[in-house]
Amino acid sequence: MFVLSPEAVQSAWTRKEWTAALAREIEESRIRLGVLLLRNCNVLELLRTKHRFDARTDPARAIREVVDWAKRMRDQRKLADSKAPRFFLGYDPRDFVGRGDTLSACTRR
């Protein structure tokens, strides 16, 4: 969670931290960064698309929302990492022109 304030926006160290978190998101293809808006400030361009929580008027509510979001992210990761069986549902191999070998290999797993 990145806490956004006027001081954070100006901090070189904080910029390194959130850009490293964004790089990990891209590398791992998973959401890693949310933004908690603590006080009025300019939201940095790369952070505008991130899930934001507004603590300017109701900090207690924002903290509850952050905790709920973090739990959802954790649960989604657990689900994605599960060893659930993977299979194709009734696809006709003829739909996969030129890929019959690939389809056969996938259905044998």
Side-chain angles (χ1 to χ4, degrees), residues 22-77:
L22 286 176
R24 276 186 71 193
E25 276 191 354
I26 293 167
E27 182 181 318
E28 298 173 4
S29 296
R30 64 170 46 164
I31 297 172
R32 291 218 166 263
L33 187 62
V35 176
L36 177 65
L37 185 56
L38 189 59
R39 292 194 309 276
N40 288 335
C41 59
N42 291 328
V43 178
L44 303 163
E45 188 70 33
L46 286 173
L47 298 175
R48 288 185 184 161
T49 61
K50 298 286 129 203
H51 195 94
R52 282 189 285 190
F53 305 91
D54 192 345
R56 293 175 295 176
T57 57
D58 191 350
R61 179 178 177 211
I63 290 169
R64 286 191 306 274
E65 290 175 349
V66 166
V67 169
D68 290 343
W69 178 79
K71 287 178 181 177
R72 283 193 311 274
M73 293 296 102
R74 176 200 63 200
D75 294 344
Q76 287 177 2
R77 280 192 293 274

Side-chain angles (χ1 to χ4, degrees), residues 74-87:
R74 176 200 63 200
D75 294 344
Q76 287 177 2
R77 280 192 293 274
K78 283 182 183 177
L79 184 61
D81 292 338
S82 72
K83 302 296 183 196
R86 296 186 170 122
F87 54 91

Side-chain angles (χ1 to χ4, degrees), residues 9-20:
V9 170
Q10 295 175 3
S11 167
W13 182 254
T14 302
R15 180 177 291 271
K16 287 179 183 180
E17 288 180 330
W18 66 259
T19 53

